[in-house]
PDB file of all heavy atoms in Angstrom:
ATOM      1  N   GLY C  81      10.275  15.533  11.150  1.00 90.00           N
ATOM      2  CA  GLY C  81       9.575  16.083  12.257  1.00 90.00           C
ATOM      3  C   GLY C  81      10.447  16.548  13.370  1.00 90.00           C
ATOM      4  O   GLY C  81      11.657  16.861  13.189  1.00 90.00           O
ATOM      5  N   SER C  82       9.912  16.523  14.594  1.00 92.00           N
ATOM      6  CA  SER C  82      10.682  17.053  15.791  1.00 92.00           C
ATOM      7  C   SER C  82      11.069  15.881  16.676  1.00 92.00           C
ATOM      8  O   SER C  82      10.228  15.089  17.065  1.00 92.00           O
ATOM      9  CB  SER C  82       9.790  18.049  16.558  1.00 92.00           C
ATOM     10  OG  SER C  82       9.397  19.108  15.807  1.00 92.00           O
ATOM     11  N   ALA C  83      12.373  15.845  16.962  1.00 93.00           N
ATOM     12  CA  ALA C  83      12.836  14.845  17.927  1.00 93.00           C
ATOM     13  C   ALA C  83      12.444  15.266  19.344  1.00 93.00           C
ATOM     14  O   ALA C  83      12.699  16.414  19.728  1.00 93.00           O
ATOM     15  CB  ALA C  83      14.333  14.687  17.821  1.00 93.00           C
ATOM     16  N   MET C  84      11.863  14.374  20.102  1.00 95.00           N
ATOM     17  CA  MET C  84      11.474  14.646  21.497  1.00 95.00           C
ATOM     18  C   MET C  84      12.447  13.891  22.382  1.00 95.00           C
ATOM     19  O   MET C  84      12.529  12.661  22.325  1.00 95.00           O
ATOM     20  CB  MET C  84      10.055  14.170  21.746  1.00 95.00           C
ATOM     21  CG  MET C  84       9.569  14.410  23.187  1.00 95.00           C
ATOM     22  SD  MET C  84       7.928  13.774  23.404  1.00 95.00           S
ATOM     23  CE  MET C  84       7.608  14.253  25.117  1.00 95.00           C
ATOM     24  N   VAL C  85      13.180  14.623  23.190  1.00 95.00           N
ATOM     25  CA  VAL C  85      14.234  14.040  24.019  1.00 95.00           C
ATOM     26  C   VAL C  85      13.833  14.032  25.475  1.00 95.00           C
ATOM     27  O   VAL C  85      13.423  15.104  26.024  1.00 95.00           O
ATOM     28  CB  VAL C  85      15.546  14.806  23.862  1.00 95.00           C
ATOM     29  CG1 VAL C  85      16.653  14.125  24.675  1.00 95.00           C
ATOM     30  CG2 VAL C  85      15.941  14.870  22.382  1.00 95.00           C
ATOM     31  N   ILE C  86      13.845  12.865  26.093  1.00 95.00           N
ATOM     32  CA  ILE C  86      13.508  12.758  27.537  1.00 95.00           C
ATOM     33  C   ILE C  86      14.738  12.132  28.245  1.00 95.00           C
ATOM     34  O   ILE C  86      15.209  11.062  27.862  1.00 95.00           O
ATOM     35  CB  ILE C  86      12.286  11.846  27.764  1.00 95.00           C
ATOM     36  CG1 ILE C  86      11.041  12.459  27.105  1.00 95.00           C
ATOM     37  CG2 ILE C  86      12.055  11.588  29.250  1.00 95.00           C
ATOM     38  CD1 ILE C  86       9.837  11.583  27.199  1.00 95.00           C
ATOM     39  N   LYS C  87      15.267  12.867  29.228  1.00 92.00           N
ATOM     40  CA  LYS C  87      16.400  12.390  30.022  1.00 92.00           C
ATOM     41  C   LYS C  87      15.901  11.324  30.971  1.00 92.00           C
ATOM     42  O   LYS C  87      14.786  11.364  31.500  1.00 92.00           O
ATOM     43  CB  LYS C  87      17.053  13.518  30.722  1.00 92.00           C
ATOM     44  CG  LYS C  87      17.674  14.585  29.843  1.00 92.00           C
ATOM     45  CD  LYS C  87      18.757  14.065  28.906  1.00 92.00           C
ATOM     46  CE  LYS C  87      19.355  15.176  28.087  1.00 92.00           C
ATOM     47  NZ  LYS C  87      20.406  14.646  27.179  1.00 92.00           N
ATOM     48  N   LEU C  88      16.720  10.326  31.265  1.00 92.00           N
ATOM     49  CA  LEU C  88      16.338   9.196  32.105  1.00 92.00           C
ATOM     50  C   LEU C  88      16.991   9.157  33.494  1.00 92.00           C
ATOM     51  O   LEU C  88      16.977   8.133  34.133  1.00 92.00           O
ATOM     52  CB  LEU C  88      16.679   7.880  31.338  1.00 92.00           C
ATOM     53  CG  LEU C  88      15.949   7.693  29.995  1.00 92.00           C
ATOM     54  CD1 LEU C  88      16.468   6.430  29.292  1.00 92.00           C
ATOM     55  CD2 LEU C  88      14.429   7.588  30.218  1.00 92.00           C
ATOM     56  N   GLU C  89      17.484  10.315  33.937  1.00 85.00           N
ATOM     57  CA  GLU C  89      18.126  10.324  35.250  1.00 85.00           C
ATOM     58  C   GLU C  89      17.161   9.845  36.383  1.00 85.00           C
ATOM     59  O   GLU C  89      17.582   9.139  37.284  1.00 85.00           O
ATOM     60  CB  GLU C  89      18.624  11.712  35.622  1.00 85.00           C
ATOM     61  CG  GLU C  89      19.790  12.170  34.806  1.00 85.00           C
ATOM     62  CD  GLU C  89      19.396  13.023  33.599  1.00 85.00           C
ATOM     63  OE1 GLU C  89      18.222  12.881  33.212  1.00 85.00           O
ATOM     64  OE2 GLU C  89      20.211  13.740  33.067  1.00 85.00           O
ATOM     65  N   SER C  90      15.881  10.203  36.220  1.00 82.00           N
ATOM     66  CA  SER C  90      14.923   9.860  37.310  1.00 82.00           C
ATOM     67  C   SER C  90      14.721   8.353  37.388  1.00 82.00           C
ATOM     68  O   SER C  90      14.177   7.853  38.407  1.00 82.00           O
ATOM     69  CB  SER C  90      13.586  10.555  37.024  1.00 82.00           C
ATOM     70  OG  SER C  90      13.033  10.103  35.816  1.00 82.00           O
ATOM     71  N   ALA C  91      15.078   7.611  36.343  1.00 78.00           N
ATOM     72  CA  ALA C  91      14.893   6.145  36.401  1.00 78.00           C
ATOM     73  C   ALA C  91      16.015   5.420  37.139  1.00 78.00           C
ATOM     74  O   ALA C  91      15.955   4.233  37.353  1.00 78.00           O
ATOM     75  CB  ALA C  91      14.797   5.614  34.974  1.00 78.00           C
ATOM     76  N   GLY C  92      17.046   6.174  37.526  1.00 82.00           N
ATOM     77  CA  GLY C  92      18.176   5.554  38.257  1.00 82.00           C
ATOM     78  C   GLY C  92      19.037   4.731  37.313  1.00 82.00           C
ATOM     79  O   GLY C  92      19.008   4.941  36.087  1.00 82.00           O
ATOM     80  N   ALA C  93      19.796   3.823  37.866  1.00 83.00           N
ATOM     81  CA  ALA C  93      20.652   2.975  37.064  1.00 83.00           C
ATOM     82  C   ALA C  93      19.799   2.004  36.227  1.00 83.00           C
ATOM     83  O   ALA C  93      18.957   1.285  36.761  1.00 83.00           O
ATOM     84  CB  ALA C  93      21.622   2.160  37.953  1.00 83.00           C
ATOM     85  N   ILE C  94      20.035   1.971  34.947  1.00 89.00           N
ATOM     86  CA  ILE C  94      19.247   1.155  34.028  1.00 89.00           C
ATOM     87  C   ILE C  94      20.155   0.050  33.452  1.00 89.00           C
ATOM     88  O   ILE C  94      21.157   0.349  32.749  1.00 89.00           O
ATOM     89  CB  ILE C  94      18.628   1.976  32.883  1.00 89.00           C
ATOM     90  CG1 ILE C  94      17.770   3.080  33.455  1.00 89.00           C
ATOM     91  CG2 ILE C  94      17.832   1.091  31.961  1.00 89.00           C
ATOM     92  CD1 ILE C  94      17.239   4.071  32.403  1.00 89.00           C
ATOM     93  N   ALA C  95      19.823  -1.188  33.748  1.00 90.00           N
ATOM     94  CA  ALA C  95      20.616  -2.300  33.247  1.00 90.00           C
ATOM     95  C   ALA C  95      20.187  -2.642  31.820  1.00 90.00           C
ATOM     96  O   ALA C  95      19.076  -2.276  31.374  1.00 90.00           O
ATOM     97  CB  ALA C  95      20.415  -3.523  34.133  1.00 90.00           C
ATOM     98  N   SER C  96      21.067  -3.309  31.071  1.00 92.00           N
ATOM     99  CA  SER C  96      20.717  -3.784  29.741  1.00 92.00           C
ATOM    100  C   SER C  96      19.529  -4.719  29.857  1.00 92.00           C
ATOM    101  O   SER C  96      19.453  -5.591  30.754  1.00 92.00           O
ATOM    102  CB  SER C  96      21.906  -4.487  29.124  1.00 92.00           C
ATOM    103  OG  SER C  96      21.578  -4.987  27.831  1.00 92.00           O
ATOM    104  N   GLU C  97      18.561  -4.620  28.948  1.00 93.00           N
ATOM    105  CA  GLU C  97      17.312  -5.391  28.925  1.00 93.00           C
ATOM    106  C   GLU C  97      16.330  -5.023  30.018  1.00 93.00           C
ATOM    107  O   GLU C  97      15.276  -5.676  30.139  1.00 93.00           O
ATOM    108  CB  GLU C  97      17.589  -6.882  28.950  1.00 93.00           C
ATOM    109  CG  GLU C  97      18.480  -7.378  27.796  1.00 93.00           C
ATOM    110  CD  GLU C  97      17.874  -7.077  26.434  1.00 93.00           C
ATOM    111  OE1 GLU C  97      16.687  -7.269  26.257  1.00 93.00           O
ATOM    112  OE2 GLU C  97      18.639  -6.643  25.524  1.00 93.00           O
ATOM    113  N   ALA C  98      16.605  -3.938  30.759  1.00 93.00           N
ATOM    114  CA  ALA C  98      15.651  -3.517  31.800  1.00 93.00           C
ATOM    115  C   ALA C  98      14.482  -2.799  31.144  1.00 93.00           C
ATOM    116  O   ALA C  98      14.584  -2.215  30.043  1.00 93.00           O
ATOM    117  CB  ALA C  98      16.337  -2.601  32.770  1.00 93.00           C
TER     118      ALA C  98
END
Side-chain angles (χ1 to χ4, degrees):
S82 302
M84 180 183 182
V85 183
I86 298 176
K87 299 298 182 181
L88 297 175
E89 290 95 340
S90 63
I94 302 172
S96 179
E97 301 302 317

